[in-house]
């Protein structure tokens, strides 16, 4: 059986840029019929991300997990340096992104509506590592694969491709 089906009782698919779906979401949030709210790569697709986060924060009775791509990731910076900005089918330059965030702006946006409980940063297998493996320059791969988590922790705005936050909404008691 699918892993999600084993651990998730209900899953809602909504277009959060549509007013009718926002009303449906508000009703779900008011019902308190959930344990977690997971916003995995959602806010960068919304017309009014700040308004949406305010709504979620107002009714959140449990923790909110939010992830967002980091436009300041070194691969994106390298493209900017060479004057390249091309939309893609996925990842940071996804063609459906309406907004782009870095660590500084993500924190600023989230702090307006939430208390940040925990922050994590992740980095996917980078293009540099892919290139090195294609040319069978395997001596560098073990170094880069061990160095990546350290660099991501030390310099998250530069080395984290994904920013992940555990948030507490306005409605949740401080603990």
């Amino acid at each position: 059986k699918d892993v999600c089906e084993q651990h998730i009782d209900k899953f809602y698919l909504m277009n959060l840029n549509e007013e009718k779906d926002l009303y449906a979401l508000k009703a779900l949030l008011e019902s308190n019929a959930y344990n977690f709210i997971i916003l995995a790569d959602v806010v960068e697709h919304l017309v009014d991300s700040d308004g949406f986060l305010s709504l979620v924060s107002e009714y959140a009775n449990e923790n909110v997990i939010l992830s967002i791509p980091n436009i300041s990731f070194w691969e994106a910076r390298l493209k900017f340096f060479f004057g390249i900005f091309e939309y893609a089918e996925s990842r940071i330059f996804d063609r459906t992104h309406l907004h782009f965030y870095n660590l500084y702006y993500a924190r600023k946006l989230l702090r307006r509506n939430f208390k940040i409980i925990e922050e994590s940063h992740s980095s996917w297998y980078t293009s540099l590592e892919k290139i090195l493996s294609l040319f069978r320059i395997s001596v560098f791969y073990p170094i880069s694969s061990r160095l990546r988590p350290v660099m991501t922790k030390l310099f998250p705005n530069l080395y984290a491709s994904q920013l992940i936050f555990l948030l507490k909404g306005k409605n949740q008691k401080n603990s």
Side-chain angles (χ1 to χ4, degrees), residues 5 13 18 20 54 61 94 106 115 126 135 157 159 171:
E5 290 177 359
L13 182 62
E18 296 288 331
K20 66 178 179 54
S54 179
N61 68 346
D94 186 308
K115 178 180 179 187
T126 66
F135 290 105
N157 208 36
Y159 285 96
N171 193 32

Side-chain angles (χ1 to χ4, degrees), residues 138-153:
S138 58
V139 69
F140 293 111
Y141 178 73
I143 296 168
S144 72
S145 64
R146 282 191 227 122
L147 193 57
R148 184 176 359 105
V150 173
M151 297 303 285
T152 301
K153 189 170 183 80

Side-chain angles (χ1 to χ4, degrees), residues 76-91:
R77 288 182 190 214
L78 190 61
K79 287 180 180 181
F80 293 151
F81 180 78
F82 287 106
I84 300 168
F85 184 98
E86 289 183 25
Y87 283 100
E89 292 303 311
S90 63
R91 295 175 49 167

Side-chain angles (χ1 to χ4, degrees), residues 10 21 40 48 52 71 78 105-106 114 116 121 125-126 134 145 149 159 169:
K10 290 184 181 177
D21 284 348
D48 182 13
F52 168 76
I71 193 68
L78 190 61
Y105 190 69
F114 295 94
I116 297 174
H121 314 103
Y125 183 75
T126 66
L134 287 174
S145 64
Y159 285 96

Side-chain angles (χ1 to χ4, degrees), residues 25-159:
L25 175 66
K26 185 177 176 183
L28 284 169
L29 292 172
E30 287 174 338
S31 74
N32 295 325
Y34 56 88
N35 295 332
F36 283 93
I37 298 171
I38 301 172
L39 302 172
D41 293 6
V42 171
V43 297
E44 64 273 15
H45 299 273
L46 301 178
V47 172
D48 182 13
S49 53
D50 201 31
F52 168 76
L53 290 171
S54 179
L55 171 75
V56 171
S57 178
E58 185 177 340
Y59 292 99
N61 68 346
E62 295 290 337
N63 290 324
V64 176
I65 299 168
L66 181 138
S67 69
I68 193 165
N70 178 18
I71 193 68
S72 291
F73 182 53
W74 74 267
E75 283 188 44
R77 288 182 190 214
L78 190 61
K79 287 180 180 181
F80 293 151
F81 180 78
F82 287 106
I84 300 168
F85 184 98
E86 289 183 25
Y87 283 100
E89 292 303 311
S90 63
R91 295 175 49 167
I92 294 172
F93 293 104
D94 186 308
R95 64 180 176 74
T96 63
H97 288 178
L98 301 178
H99 305 281
F100 295 94
Y101 299 91
N102 64 7
L103 183 57
Y104 169 80
Y105 190 69
R107 284 176 179 157
K108 186 176 176 179
L109 174 73
L110 295 174
R111 285 182 179 137
R112 285 197 291 262
N113 297 296
F114 295 94
K115 178 180 179 187
I116 297 174
I117 304 300
E118 192 173 329
E119 193 175 301
S120 179
H121 314 103
S122 70
S123 183
W124 54 62
Y125 183 75
T126 66
S127 298
L128 177 62
E129 290 170 337
K130 289 178 191 172
I131 291 166
L132 292 175
S133 69
L134 287 174
F135 290 105
R136 305 204 190 295
I137 306 174
S138 58
V139 69
F140 293 111
Y141 178 73
I143 296 168
S144 72
S145 64
R146 282 191 227 122
L147 193 57
R148 184 176 359 105
V150 173
M151 297 303 285
T152 301
K153 189 170 183 80
L154 290 174
F155 306 103
N157 208 36
L158 183 60
Y159 285 96

